[in-house]
């Protein structure tokens, strides 16, 4: 007998993420490494990659940017989701003092890492940035895990007024972290990579690309000579820095 | 004595017989060059049309028990954008010694010719006509590859605008495969690629109670296709004199040698990159060489087509 391609989950609880999206808690676990992703299918709508926000039970956090994310964020308890994966190479769980830097929907790639690091008795600081307080994603989850939160908003409505890099800056200049992990808009990742140039603290970046197979076959998710679904989505900064630089 | 793995494909010398199949790892210089640097003797770009195409919505590519089913729907950036990317790929491929095969398709014979006309400016070593995609039938009607006359018309139209080495990619679904092959060779094809995906097939999700692919149906590739592909290559090699790239389900040295014994000159690998990535090229080459050493076979010419007896 053949195996089903998707595992079906039901939404058990839905929680709004400010005005920008939602977190869906599902009715079963999925074994995954922090930073890995799943392909989520909504029959009749689309199939798209999403980070494993939590593994037991599986939870997803979605930011509404288009038709699929709108439909997913509208799911209510009892609704079904079709999931395949997890796929990709995640973050290494290492470091006694880890600084996590997140923006946009990328924040969802960092929560499972925070959980694992806290389980290993690490100290975890999480810098989160957004345009305004109602766009911050998942601060509640990092608080729940006992992480130290460093918040920044463009309009100063929560945390300091500025970017997520401004929030991370004191920790960076004090040399607090022994590892830095980041996920978010590429301009943010590039700025962080430039800020840390010359530092010997390892920096891992999680990238996003549009995907079809998620399996390293179709080539849709290329970034230079890398495939984000196969070689990533998490890369040591040395592997991708030149690929993120805007063309001259 | 060192084993000679070089092959001559329609006048183009390849450092080894392994070819990255079209549609695998896309069409950008970065990934094509990476496959070549890791052992592919030639790389085929994803099929490209004159105008850009978005392709089908997801799900488009699924892995099931015995390979893949896909209905990507020929998404591509259009020949003008593709030409620039392939020109870069061509330049960066030079140090690897690998050949660039540019895959092209059109909705009419003239559409093929127009796209080839643009793509040829990137100076690929070979052009491959994809007349056999099963995933756009609702849009374009029956693939050219199912009908000898239609296949010949597409080939002729391209021959009129392009003088370089020309491959035509055939379908395992053609009821008169050999007649199609003879027709395209008579129309000017210098070689054949056999085969494209099988089917179409369908997968249904029990919970959703509906087909999974957004296109409902898609082409089968990988291990499930292999025996069909070997039979196609065997039939073709017995019927036409041009070189053949044997493609379909190859994932080991054994499978590649099987294609050569059926009569293939070169061997395409697509779905085999699943899990292993481009590491597959070196492994398959090593396995081929190991077997050849054991059997005291010095060159592929010694065994090519030997299964015909
Ligand atoms: C490995 C990986 C993990 C991901 N994890 C998550 C996650 O946990 N939560 C989540 O919400 N999203 C995540 N994404 C992004 C998510 O897949 C896309 O937002 C989604 O595909 C958009 O689909 P759509 O149909 O809603 O919008 P589309 O119609 O595809 O896109 C609408 C518009 O938004 C733009 N857009 C697409 N993606 C993004 C983005 N990430 N940020 C801003 N604009 C975008 C598009 O260019 C387009 O203009 C992840 C992506 C990858 C590759
Ligand atoms: C995801 C995917 C996309 C493909 N796209 C193309 C394409 O654009 N043009 C083409 O001629 N063949 C395409 N093919 C077919 C392959 O080139 C190859 O002929 C087929 O997959 C059989 O080989 P395999 O079993 O080694 O994969 C595609 C196959 C897959 C799996
Ligand atoms: S999404 Fe297909 S190769 Fe990455």
């Amino acid at each position: 007998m053949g195996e089903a391609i998707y595992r079906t989950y039901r939404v058990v609880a839905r929680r709004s993420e400010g005005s920008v999206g939602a977190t869906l808690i599902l009715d079963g676990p999925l074994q995954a490494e922090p930073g890995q992703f799943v392909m989520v299918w909504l029959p009749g709508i689309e199939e798209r990659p999403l980070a494993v926000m939590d593994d037991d039970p599986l939870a997803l956090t979605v930011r509404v940017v288009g038709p699929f994310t709108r439909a997913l964020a509208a799911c209510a308890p009892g609704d079904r989701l079709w999931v395949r994966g997890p796929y990709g190479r995640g973050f290494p769980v290492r470091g006694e003092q880890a600084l996590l830097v997140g923006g946009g929907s990328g924040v969802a790639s960092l929560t499972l890492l925070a959980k694992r690091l806290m389980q290993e008795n690490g100290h975890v600081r999480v810098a989160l940035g957004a345009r305004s307080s109602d766009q911050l994603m998942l601060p509640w989850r990092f608080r729940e895990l006992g992480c130290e939160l460093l918040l920044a908003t463009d309009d100063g409505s929560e945390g300091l007024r500025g970017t997520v890099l401004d929030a991370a800056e004191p920790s960076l200049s004090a040399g607090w972290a022994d590892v830095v992990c980041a996920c978010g808009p590429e301009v943010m990742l590039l700025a962080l990579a430039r800020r840390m140039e010359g530092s010997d603290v390892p920096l891992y970046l999680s990238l996003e690309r549009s995907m079809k197979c998620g399996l390293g076959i179709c080539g849709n998710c290329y970034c230079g000579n890398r495939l984000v679904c196969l070689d990533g989505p998490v890369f040591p900064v040395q592997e991708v820095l030149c690929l993120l630089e805007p063309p001259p | 004595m060192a084993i000679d793995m070089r092959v001559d494909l329609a006048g183009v010398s390849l450092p080894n017989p392994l070819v990255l199949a079209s549609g695998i790892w896309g069409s950008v210089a970065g990934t094509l060059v990476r496959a070549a640097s890791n052992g592919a003797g030639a790389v085929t770009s994803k099929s490209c049309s004159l105008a850009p195409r978005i392709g089908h919505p997801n799900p488009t590519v699924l892995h099931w028990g015995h390979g893949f089913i896909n209905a990507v729907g020929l998404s591509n950036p259009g020949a003008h954008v593709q030409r620039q990317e392939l020109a870069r790929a061509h330049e960066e491929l030079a140090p690897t010694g690998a050949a660039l095969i540019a895959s092209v398709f059109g909705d009419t014979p003239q559409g093929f010719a127009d796209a080839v006309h643009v793509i040829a400016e990137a100076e690929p070593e070979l052009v491959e006509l994809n007349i056999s995609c099963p995933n756009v039938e609702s849009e374009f009607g029956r693939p050219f590859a199912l009908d000898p006359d239609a296949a010949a018309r597409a080939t002729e139209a391209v021959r009129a605008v392009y003088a370089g080495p020309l491959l035509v990619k055939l379908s395992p679904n053609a009821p008169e495969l050999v007649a199609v092959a003879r027709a395209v060779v008579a129309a000017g094809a210098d070689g054949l690629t056999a085969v494209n995906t099988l089917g179409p097939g369908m997968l249904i999700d029990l919970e959703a109670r509906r087909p999974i692919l957004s296109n409902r149906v898609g082409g089968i590739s990988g291990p499930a296709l292999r025996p069909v592909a070997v039979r196609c290559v065997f039939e073709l090699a017995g019927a036409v004199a041009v070189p053949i790239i044997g493609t379909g389900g190859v994932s080991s040295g054994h499978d590649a040698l099987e294609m050569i014994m059926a009569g293939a000159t070169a061997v395409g690998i697509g779905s085999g990159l699943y899990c292993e990535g481009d590491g597959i090229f070196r492994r398959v080459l090593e396995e081929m060489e190991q077997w050849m050493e054991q059997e005291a076979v010095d060159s592929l010419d010694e065994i090519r087509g030997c299964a015909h007896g």
Side-chain angles (χ1 to χ4, degrees):
Chain A
M1 176 154 170
E3 253 182 62
I5 288 174
Y6 296 93
R7 213 172 135 178
T8 315
Y9 291 85
R10 273 185 200 277
V11 177
V12 172
R14 178 190 184 280
R15 174 173 185 148
S16 287
E17 294 293 337
S19 63
V20 289
T23 290
L24 304 173
I25 317 284
L26 308 181
D27 65 349
L30 179 78
Q31 212 176 31
E33 287 168 35
Q36 283 192 304
F37 68 94
V38 287
M39 297 296 287
V40 179
W41 177 41
L42 294 178
I45 300 176
E46 250 292 353
E47 183 199 44
R48 295 285 197 217
L50 289 183
V52 176
M53 197 282 276
D54 202 359
D55 58 344
D56 191 7
L58 175 61
L60 307 169
T61 296
V62 58
R63 184 182 175 89
V64 177
V65 298
F68 171 83
T69 47
R70 188 171 306 120
L72 188 61
C75 283
D79 288 349
R80 284 180 301 175
L81 305 181
W82 280 253
V83 173
R84 61 183 174 98
Y87 300 126
R89 189 171 66 157
F91 290 106
V93 181
R94 56 181 271 193
E96 279 161 25
Q97 304 204 121
L99 176 63
L100 315 188
V101 182
S105 64
V107 174
S109 298
L110 299 171
T111 41
L112 189 54
L113 176 63
K115 179 165 128 176
R116 289 275 192 285
L117 289 166
M118 295 300 288
Q119 281 165 349
E120 312 251 304
N121 297 318
H123 294 270
V124 182
R125 281 186 186 166
V126 184
L128 300 182
R131 228 163 286 152
S132 61
S133 68
D134 68 331
Q135 302 205 359
L136 280 168
M137 298 189 81
L138 291 166
W140 61 271
R141 179 59 183 150
F142 293 106
R143 275 196 198 103
E144 214 171 65
L145 289 168
C147 307
E148 203 180 320
L149 267 185
L150 311 164
L151 302 180
T153 50
D154 292 349
D155 63 3
S157 52
E158 192 161 347
L160 61 82
R161 180 192 294 269
T163 67
V164 68
L165 280 198
D166 298 325
E169 183 51 40
S171 303
L172 290 173
S173 44
W176 178 82
D178 51 18
V179 62
V180 179
C181 298
C183 186
E186 254 160 59
V187 283
M188 177 201 112
L189 299 181
L190 190 57
L192 177 64
R194 290 216 176 109
R195 167 64 186 79
M196 288 183 61
E197 229 157 23
S199 149
D200 53 12
V201 176
L203 170 62
Y204 295 90
L205 304 177
S206 181
L207 303 187
E208 291 185 1
R209 284 289 181 281
S210 126
M211 290 186 182
K212 290 187 193 295
C213 68
L215 301 168
I217 281 289
C218 72
N220 207 66
C221 64
Y222 74 92
C223 175
N225 65 358
R226 306 289 157 149
L227 294 173
V228 169
C229 72
L230 179 77
D231 306 312
V234 175
F235 295 91
V237 66
Q238 316 77 272
E239 273 188 38
V240 288
L241 184 56
C242 61
L243 306 175
L244 293 180
E245 300 279 1
Chain B
M1 193 183 131
I3 293 175
D4 186 5
M5 293 299 267
R6 279 174 307 174
V7 297
D8 179 286
L9 182 66
V12 177
S13 172
L14 311 185
N16 71 64
L18 303 187
V19 178
L20 176 72
S22 177
I24 310 300
W25 278 25
S27 273
V28 294
T31 51
L32 294 175
V33 172
R34 175 172 160 186
S37 309
N38 286 312
V43 293
T44 316
S45 56
K46 181 165 173 50
S47 300
C48 155
S49 49
L50 186 62
R53 286 175 54 87
I54 296 176
H56 299 307
N58 282 343
T60 46
V61 187
L62 298 161
H63 189 257
W64 56 287
H66 306 278
F68 284 91
I69 184 165
N70 94 80
V72 168
L74 295 172
S75 57
N76 78 89
H80 291 277
V81 172
Q82 182 80 305
R83 171 184 57 189
Q84 292 171 15
E85 191 65 27
L86 292 186
R88 203 166 90 217
H90 186 250
E91 197 175 306
E92 293 178 21
L93 280 167
T96 69
L100 176 63
I101 306 175
S103 173
V104 169
F105 79 97
D107 51 356
T108 58
Q110 192 55 43
F112 273 96
D114 293 344
V116 170
H117 186 69
V118 175
I119 287 298
E121 288 171 31
E123 298 183 353
E125 275 73 19
L126 299 112
V127 165
E128 179 175 284
L129 304 184
N130 176 8
I131 61 170
S132 45
C133 182
N135 297 327
V136 288
E137 193 161 339
S138 53
E139 223 175 314
F140 296 157
R142 263 162 59 105
F144 292 83
L146 298 190
D147 178 64
D149 290 336
R153 280 199 304 275
T155 311
E156 256 161 31
V158 169
R159 202 68 289 183
V161 300
Y162 172 72
L166 182 63
L167 306 172
V168 175
K169 187 164 181 181
L170 303 183
S171 168
N173 312 320
E176 306 167 83
L177 180 64
V178 165
V180 174
R182 289 205 172 107
V184 299
V185 169
D190 302 305
L192 304 172
T193 301
V195 288
N196 210 315
T197 53
L198 175 72
M202 178 184 283
L203 295 175
I204 292 171
D205 184 275
L206 300 192
E207 296 272 334
R209 301 184 180 195
R210 59 194 288 167
I212 302 175
L213 291 169
S214 74
N215 188 50
R216 298 200 297 274
V217 298
I220 310 292
S221 61
L225 169 60
R226 200 180 99 232
V228 177
V230 171
R231 184 267 301 164
C232 289
V233 169
F234 185 92
E235 274 185 14
L236 293 169
V240 294
V242 298
I244 301 166
I245 305 180
T247 305
V250 172
S251 69
S252 68
H254 164 277
D255 304 346
L257 290 163
E258 187 184 28
M259 283 292 189
I260 304 276
M261 289 188 183
T265 292
V267 179
I269 300 185
S271 305
L273 271 75
Y274 176 58
C275 285
E276 197 174 355
D278 52 357
I280 190 168
F281 294 109
R282 288 254 154 78
R283 176 176 61 79
V284 169
L285 279 176
E286 273 165 28
E287 288 170 1
M288 291 175 82
E289 285 169 359
Q290 234 169 42
W291 182 89
M292 290 167 74
E293 223 160 87
Q294 255 169 36
E295 301 291 316
V297 172
D298 297 330
S299 100
L300 294 171
D301 294 338
E302 284 178 38
I303 55 164
R304 182 166 297 112
C306 67
H308 292 260

